[in-house]
Amino acid sequence: MKFPIIILLIVFISQVHSQTYETRKVIAKADSTLKAVSGDYLYQFFKYDSTTYYEYTTKRNRKKWENLIKKPTTKGTFKNTFVRFNFRHPAYPWIHNFAGVQLDSSLNLSDSIDLRFIPRFLVEQKESNYISKEHAVEIAKKLPLKERINEIQARLIYNLFNIEGYSWLVSNYFDHNQTELVIIEPVTGKVLQHYNSYYGPLHGSKSNDR
């Protein structure tokens, strides 16, 4: 008679100690936390990423992961989640990044939210002070570039090593496998780096086709 009672007791204890949440409440907590950190102005450009997952443990203490919005309630014992919010600004489509809100088992913020990818001018709610794409290309053309085989291309890239967070990357393709890269500071137009790089399949590489 004792054996069934012990089993029922174990089941009862596991249910008491298992921590589950309504997924909408998890998202709401992450959302309000992000808003508090980013401020009202920047917050409007964030949107929840439906590919967010959370970690939980089963009754056998096995770690598993599940999409946060797959079901209205989380499974097993909730451990943590890294809720992603994509950042999109209609005037600056080149900003392709996200903010992650990491919550622990009690839905408390367990790590700082990295917003360094947001340009300083947006943080200060100002217009962009970056030089134009055309200006960046003209700066690169003043350097002793190799004779190109295609049009020079330029795009803004995320660059944590630059205080602005971004840099202009100007590419001068002078060979079918090599390009000349010029890294330019986006506000002052100062040339930060100038070097050659390979792209695509290298000459002499063997094909796997048979």
Side-chain angles (χ1 to χ4, degrees), residues 4-5 21 29 31 36 115 118 140-141 156 159 172-173 200 210:
I5 295 175
Y21 295 101
K29 179 59 183 290
D31 187 87
L115 300 178
I118 301 177
K141 284 183 176 179
L156 281 163
N159 183 3
N172 176 43
Y173 296 91
R210 293 185 180 183

Side-chain angles (χ1 to χ4, degrees), residues 183-198:
I183 310 296
I184 299 173
E185 209 279 337
V187 176
T188 64
K190 178 182 178 181
V191 175
L192 302 176
Q193 289 179 284
H194 180 199
Y195 60 94
N196 297 340
S197 179
Y198 287 95

Side-chain angles (χ1 to χ4, degrees), residues 2-20:
K2 291 183 178 180
F3 189 67
I5 295 175
I6 294 173
I7 294 177
L8 290 173
L9 184 61
I10 293 174
V11 171
F12 174 75
I13 293 173
S14 64
Q15 290 177 343
V16 170
H17 288 282
S18 65
Q19 179 66 67
T20 61

Side-chain angles (χ1 to χ4, degrees), residues 11 18 51 62 66 79 104 111 158 161 175 182 187 190:
V11 171
S18 65
T51 64
R62 292 179 179 174
E66 183 68 79
K79 303 302 290 183
D104 62 18
D111 200 0
Y158 183 41
F161 297 102
D175 184 83
V182 181
V187 176
K190 178 182 178 181

Side-chain angles (χ1 to χ4, degrees), residues 177 198 200-207:
N177 291 113
Y198 287 95
L202 299 178
H203 289 303
S205 61
K206 295 182 179 179
S207 172

Side-chain angles (χ1 to χ4, degrees), residues 94 97 116-120 130 156-167 185-186:
W94 43 268
N97 219 316
R116 289 177 294 175
F117 66 87
I118 301 177
R120 186 189 303 179
Y130 287 4
L156 281 163
I157 59 170
Y158 183 41
N159 183 3
L160 273 179
F161 297 102
N162 178 22
I163 191 171
E164 288 295 328
Y166 287 85
S167 297
E185 209 279 337

Side-chain angles (χ1 to χ4, degrees), residues 75-142:
K75 291 182 177 181
T77 301
F78 183 91
K79 303 302 290 183
N80 61 74
T81 183
F82 187 78
V83 186
R84 291 170 52 121
F85 292 88
N86 295 320
F87 186 92
R88 298 290 183 269
H89 194 295
Y92 309 107
W94 43 268
I95 306 176
H96 293 287
N97 219 316
F98 68 91
V101 182
Q102 190 166 330
L103 303 176
D104 62 18
S105 59
S106 299
L107 298 187
N108 294 319
L109 186 65
S110 58
D111 200 0
S112 59
I113 301 175
D114 189 356
L115 300 178
R116 289 177 294 175
F117 66 87
I118 301 177
R120 186 189 303 179
F121 65 82
L122 271 183
V123 175
E124 297 174 351
Q125 301 183 36
K126 298 178 180 178
E127 294 294 323
S128 173
N129 58 345
Y130 287 4
I131 63 173
S132 67
K133 177 180 178 179
E134 293 74 20
H135 191 180
V137 171
E138 288 304 314
I139 291 173
K141 284 183 176 179
K142 292 179 180 179

